[in-house]
Amino acid sequence: MIDLVVRHFALPLRHPFTISRGTVDVQDTVIVQLHQDGLFGYGEATTNPYYGATVESLTRRIAAVAPRLHAASADDLDGLLDTAAALLGADTFAHCAVDLAIHDLWGKRRGGPLHRLWGLDPAAGPLSNYTIGIDTPERMAAKLAEVPDWPVYKIKLGTDRDLEIVRELRRHTAKPFRVDANCGWTPRQAIELSGPLAELGVEFIEQPLAADDPGMAEVYRRSALPVFADESCGVEADVDRCAGRFHGINIKLVKCGGLAAARRMIARARELGLAVMCGCMTESSVGISALAQLVPLLDHVDMDGAALLAADIAHGVVVEAGRRRYPDHAGTGVELLGGPLAA
Ligand code: MG
C-alpha cells in the first residue's frame, strides 16, 4: 500500500536568473512523496512556462494518480513505472516527479543507492558545470568571480552582446566554457559565432536555434563547434531526429518524464553516436539527487540547480565545485529537511 502526498514549495534563488526567455527570482516546485511501511520516496518537478507546467496542473495530475498507487507495492518497480507512464505520459513534468519518487522508494526498500542497484561506478562520469545567467558582461563576470572553484562554466547567451560577454568572462578565468543560446540565434548567427567562440575556449553550443528550425542541419555541418540539442530533444521520440542535426543531446528529467525514460534515451543516443549530457532546472536537491544517479553514464552534466538556490528543502547528493558527493542513503539519497510531509 503506497500513500502519495504532493506539495508545492517556493525555492528562493541566490541571484535572479535570466535566460533568453525571461527572469526568475523564486522558482516554484512540486514535491511528490510516496510512503510505504515507514520508508519515503521523493520526486520533484519544477514549474515552467515554456513547457506549460504550473503548480495547479502538476498538483492536480499527480494527485489523480494516488488511488492507482494505493493498492500497489513499491517492490513492483516495473509495474509502478508502467502505471505512471500510462496515467501521466502526456505531462512529462508530472510524470517525472512521480517516476523519481517511485525510483527513490524502490531503492530505499532495496537498501542501496540507485546507481549501485543499476551497476554503475559512482566515481565515473563528468564534473558539473556552473551556469552563469544573462546579465551585463560586467555583472556576469562578477557572478563568475563568486564561484571560482567550478571546473567549467555554462554561459547563457542569446543577447545582442554575446561575443562581448564571452570575451569579458574569458578575462577572468582560463577554465572551459560551454554556451547555451536557448533558441536565441538564427542559423547565420550560430555559424558566424561558432568560430570566435571556439577561439575563446568554448567547447560546445547548446540549442542555438528554435526547437524546430530547419536551419539546424546546415548549422550542424558548418559550425566550428559541436552543437547540443536541449529544447529540440524533449522526449524519447526526439532522439532519432537529433542524429544529423546535432552532435549531442541534453536530457532533462522533467522534459522526458523521469529516470526510466532518461536511461532509454541515453542508450538510444549511444546507438546513434550522439554525445550525451544531462541538465537540470533550477531545482532542489530532490531532483538533483535523482539526476546524480545517472552521471556515470554521461559525457557532460549540468547539475548546479540546487547550488543556485538561497535555501534548499532537502538533504541528498551535494554538488560543490562541480564534484558530487553521494550521501550514505539508499534510493536517490533524499530526505526532506523538514521531515516527511503530513498527509
Ligand atoms: Mg539549455
Side-chain angles (χ1 to χ4, degrees):
M1 202 172 83
I2 300 174
D3 292 313
L4 181 152
V5 178
V6 55
R7 189 72 39 89
H8 162 236
F9 289 85
L11 306 172
L13 273 58
R14 236 183 255 276
H15 296 289
F17 187 71
T18 300
I19 69 168
S20 64
R21 282 187 287 271
T23 300
V24 170
D25 55 7
V26 172
Q27 176 64 57
D28 288 306
T29 199
V30 167
I31 299 295
V32 176
Q33 171 183 280
L34 297 180
H35 169 223
Q36 184 179 355
D37 304 335
L39 294 173
F40 296 87
Y42 294 99
E44 175 171 16
T46 53
T47 62
N48 193 302
Y50 180 81
Y51 292 101
T54 65
V55 170
E56 294 70 27
S57 70
L58 291 169
T59 302
R60 177 169 33 87
R61 288 184 184 138
I62 291 167
V65 175
R68 291 288 299 275
L69 298 185
H70 198 66
S73 163
D75 299 325
D76 178 18
L77 178 64
D78 290 341
L80 285 174
L81 293 175
D82 287 349
T83 299
L87 298 176
L88 296 171
D91 181 341
T92 59
F93 279 61
H95 187 193
C96 169
V98 173
D99 167 287
L100 268 46
I102 290 169
H103 276 96
D104 186 27
L105 182 56
W106 173 76
K108 282 169 173 158
R109 287 176 69 87
R110 293 285 300 269
L114 285 179
H115 61 264
R116 196 196 304 152
L117 295 169
W118 292 336
L120 303 179
D121 172 7
L127 300 178
S128 174
N129 66 234
Y130 185 92
T131 305
I132 308 285
I134 290 174
D135 208 322
T136 64
E138 298 73 27
R139 281 198 223 119
M140 290 174 77
K143 283 183 203 166
L144 188 148
E146 282 178 25
V147 286
D149 45 356
W150 287 67
V152 51
Y153 298 94
K154 173 160 139 178
I155 303 164
K156 291 290 193 176
L157 297 180
T159 74
D160 52 11
R161 306 173 74 179
D162 285 344
L163 268 186
E164 189 187 342
I165 286 169
V166 179
R167 285 199 187 104
E168 175 63 22
L169 293 177
R170 183 47 81 214
R171 291 176 54 234
H172 298 268
T173 180
K175 291 182 179 160
F177 292 153
R178 52 192 63 156
V179 299
D180 185 355
N182 283 108
C183 312
W185 293 342
T186 64
R188 175 191 281 261
Q189 273 179 301
I191 292 163
E192 287 180 358
L193 285 167
S194 66
L197 289 174
E199 286 170 21
L200 284 163
V202 172
E203 55 186 11
F204 61 81
I205 296 168
E206 191 175 314
Q207 197 67 40
L209 313 184
D212 53 357
D213 193 312
M216 200 55 229
E218 188 188 2
V219 172
Y220 170 78
R221 284 194 306 274
R222 295 181 54 198
S223 170
L225 287 170
V227 281
F228 276 62
D230 182 355
E231 286 86 342
S232 294
C233 188
V235 299
E236 287 178 76
D238 296 327
V239 179
D240 280 59
R241 285 195 286 274
C242 288
R245 296 171 65 229
F246 293 93
H247 301 87
I249 59 170
N250 181 4
I251 299 168
K252 289 180 183 159
L253 298 175
V254 284
K255 286 190 304 179
C256 70
L259 289 165
R263 293 174 71 205
R264 291 191 296 267
M265 290 172 77
I266 292 169
R268 181 60 185 151
R270 295 303 185 197
E271 289 172 359
L272 294 166
L274 291 165
V276 183
M277 171 178 184
C278 276
C280 64
M281 300 302 190
T282 304
E283 60 192 274
S284 80
S285 284
V286 174
I288 295 297
S289 299
L291 170 57
Q293 309 302 317
L294 292 174
V295 177
L297 295 168
L298 307 177
D299 300 306
H300 308 286
V301 68
D302 171 16
M303 52 186 298
D304 62 1
L308 301 175
L309 301 179
D312 204 341
I313 57 170
H315 282 301
V317 177
V318 176
V319 182
E320 278 174 346
R323 289 171 203 290
R324 61 196 190 278
R325 197 168 63 244
Y326 293 99
D328 190 20
H329 290 307
T332 65
V334 164
E335 294 180 8
L336 292 190
L337 292 180
L341 301 171

